[in-house]
Amino acid sequence: PELKDDSSIVLQVVGAFSKLQTLACQDFIVHSKAGEATRAGQIREFATKFDALRMGFEGLPPAAGGPLKDCLVLGEATATVEKQLIFLVAEIAKPTSDAKLLQLSLSG
């Protein structure tokens, strides 16, 4: 579809796409963190259709943050890193025999 030269219409369409992209990306991150692969997959399928639809509008500026698929890739990477950091912090917090010996030698 071709958008008319009316800037208010273009702004409304950009706003609608932007809001949908933000909500889809946030939803994807929530489901990725929760390990809900089925729901995350559904959002990926939606992203493919969404990006194709957005690109189909002539006269629409590119999305500020890039295509929705890019946002999902970044969101998935962020969720993975957060999970790994939580695991790492838990591992570091576990006392080890060397740490116990060091604590004893410092306190005595």
Side-chain angles (χ1 to χ4, degrees):
E2 186 177 345
L3 294 174
K4 297 187 179 185
D5 291 334
D6 187 351
S7 61
S8 66
I9 293 173
V10 172
L11 286 175
Q12 289 174 357
V13 172
V14 167
F17 274 112
S18 179
K19 184 66 174 177
L20 284 171
Q21 182 161 333
T22 299
L23 292 174
C25 194
Q26 290 172 346
D27 198 38
F28 179 81
I29 292 169
V30 167
H31 293 292
S32 291
K33 284 182 182 179
E36 297 171 0
T38 301
R39 183 70 176 128
Q42 291 170 338
I43 297 170
R44 271 194 195 94
E45 290 174 20
F46 168 77
T48 301
K49 295 173 186 174
F50 178 86
D51 289 339
L53 177 64
R54 192 178 198 297
M55 289 176 58
F57 277 90
E58 291 181 32
L60 197 62
L68 178 54
K69 281 199 146 222
D70 290 355
C71 178
L72 300 187
V73 169
L74 181 60
E76 188 170 36
T78 301
T80 300
V81 168
E82 286 179 8
K83 284 181 186 178
Q84 291 173 347
L85 283 174
I86 290 168
F87 174 77
L88 183 61
V89 167
E91 286 297 310
I92 291 171
K94 289 181 181 177
T96 63
S97 58
D98 292 336
K100 288 179 184 177
L101 291 174
L102 179 62
Q103 287 176 343
L104 289 174
S105 67
L106 291 176
S107 66

